[in-house]
Amino acid sequence: AYTTEAMRLVHERVATPSQIDAIMRDCCGFRLGPLELADLTGVDVNYPVSQIIYQGYDQDPRLKTSFPHLSLLEAGRLGRKSGLGSYRYEGGKPVDVPSPDHVTAAAPAKSVMLVEPDEKLEAFAAQIGWTLLEEDDGECPLIGFPLGEDATAFAIWTGADPARLVCVDLTVETHSRVTLMAAPGADVAVIDAVAAAITTPARPVTLIKDSPGFVAQRIRGMIANLGCEMAQIGVATPAEIDLAMKLGLNYPSGPLELAEQMGLDDTLTIMENLQQVTGDDRYRPSQWLRRRALLGLPIDTAD
C-alpha cells in the first residue's frame, strides 16, 4: 500500500514524487518516502512483487498498483541502479529534486473562519495565531478539515465557498510540514495568504491538487485497512502483523497500530469516503476495521 498508493497519487497528478515523499517523511515519520523507497529497492523488484501479490489475492483492487509503476519498468527507469527512476541519480545520490515547498511572498492571513467546529482545527488555528471569525464576511479564507474527501466534495456538502476554501490535513504531525489543498478554481490569493500564515523556517507548506484524502490520509488509510484485512483472513495475529511490518519494512508503526493512532472511527470514515468519492472498491473498508470501529472495540480484539 505504501508504494502502490503513492503511484496512484502520481498517476492522478495529485502531487509530485518529492511532495509525496516529503509529506510521508515529515508528517508521518517514515524514514524514506514511498517513491524514493521504490527507487532504492528497484522498480524491477517492487513492480513484479506487486503483481505477485495482486494475482495471489484474486486481483483484489485494494492491492493493485498503477500505470506509472509499469511505465517506469518498461522505460528502464529502475531507480538508483539505473540512475533514473522517480528521481535522477548521480553517484547513487538524487540530483535536481524539485522542492516540495509552496513558497509565497503574500501577506499572511490574520483572520479566518472555520467551515465546521472542530477541536483539532481550533487548536491549529490557535497555534498559527489566527483570529476566528464567527460570521463569514465574504472575503476571509475558509478553513476545512475533510476526512477522505476532496475539497470539492467538502465544499458542496458544507455549502462553503469553494473559491475561498483551503483544506488542511490534521490527521498527521503538523510541526514539521503542513499539507494544504483547494478545489479547482480556488482564489490563488486566498491560498497564498493561508500558506504564508502557516509557513515558518521549520514548518514549510506543501500545496497539492484536490484529492480525496489528501496524500497522508490515503496512504496511511490504505496501510491500516490492508493490515486489518490481513487480520480478517488470518494471515497472522494483529500483533504479528504489526511486528512484521515494523521489522521487515521499517514502518514507524504497524498497520493496526496505525489504525488505533488515527482513531478507528476516523480511519473507517476516511476509507468509506474515499470509496464513495472515487467510486473505487480499492478503498473498500475491511470488515475487521468496520466492526471494531462501530462497536468501539480495540483494533486487536479477536473474533
Side-chain angles (χ1 to χ4, degrees), residues 231-299:
Q232 181 64 52
I233 64 177
V235 171
T237 67
E240 290 167 341
I241 293 167
D242 284 340
L243 182 62
M245 298 305 285
K246 287 187 288 186
L247 295 181
L249 294 179
N250 204 23
Y251 280 13
S253 301
L256 291 100
E257 291 175 333
L258 181 56
E260 284 283 6
Q261 292 167 10
M262 294 171 65
L264 301 193
D265 288 343
D266 283 356
T267 304
L268 179 60
T269 297
I270 287 168
M271 300 312 297
E272 288 178 335
N273 285 344
L274 280 168
Q275 185 183 24
Q276 180 178 1
V277 172
T278 64
D280 194 339
D281 273 353
R282 174 181 185 81
Y283 304 106
R284 182 178 78 253
S286 168
Q287 293 302 314
W288 184 281
L289 169 63
R290 185 185 68 84
R291 294 186 182 108
R292 284 148 188 80
L294 293 177
L295 293 171
L297 296 173
I299 197 64

Side-chain angles (χ1 to χ4, degrees), residues 99-178:
S99 172
D101 304 343
H102 180 72
V103 179
T104 176
K110 296 182 178 180
S111 300
V112 303
M113 182 176 177
L114 305 186
V115 175
E116 292 188 304
D118 185 282
E119 290 183 0
K120 287 185 177 180
L121 264 183
E122 291 168 2
F124 180 73
Q127 177 187 348
I128 302 304
W130 279 325
T131 298
L132 296 182
L133 302 180
E134 295 185 1
E135 295 185 5
D136 187 0
D137 62 5
E139 297 180 356
C140 69
L142 306 176
I143 309 299
F145 170 33
L147 292 175
E149 295 178 307
D150 55 9
T152 298
F154 188 73
I156 296 303
W157 78 261
T158 61
D161 179 0
R164 292 184 290 126
L165 174 64
V166 181
C167 294
V168 57
D169 188 3
L170 299 180
T171 64
V172 294
E173 172 63 56
T174 58
H175 294 298
S176 300
R177 182 173 299 276
V178 173

Side-chain angles (χ1 to χ4, degrees), residues 19-39:
Q19 288 177 320
I20 294 168
D21 285 343
I23 290 168
M24 298 311 294
R25 287 194 314 266
D26 297 346
C27 302
C28 305
F30 287 85
R31 291 187 64 184
L32 289 174
L35 297 163
E36 56 189 349
L37 178 61
D39 275 1

Side-chain angles (χ1 to χ4, degrees), residues 9 30 42 96 204 213 217 234:
L9 287 160
F30 287 85
D96 300 328
Q217 288 182 26

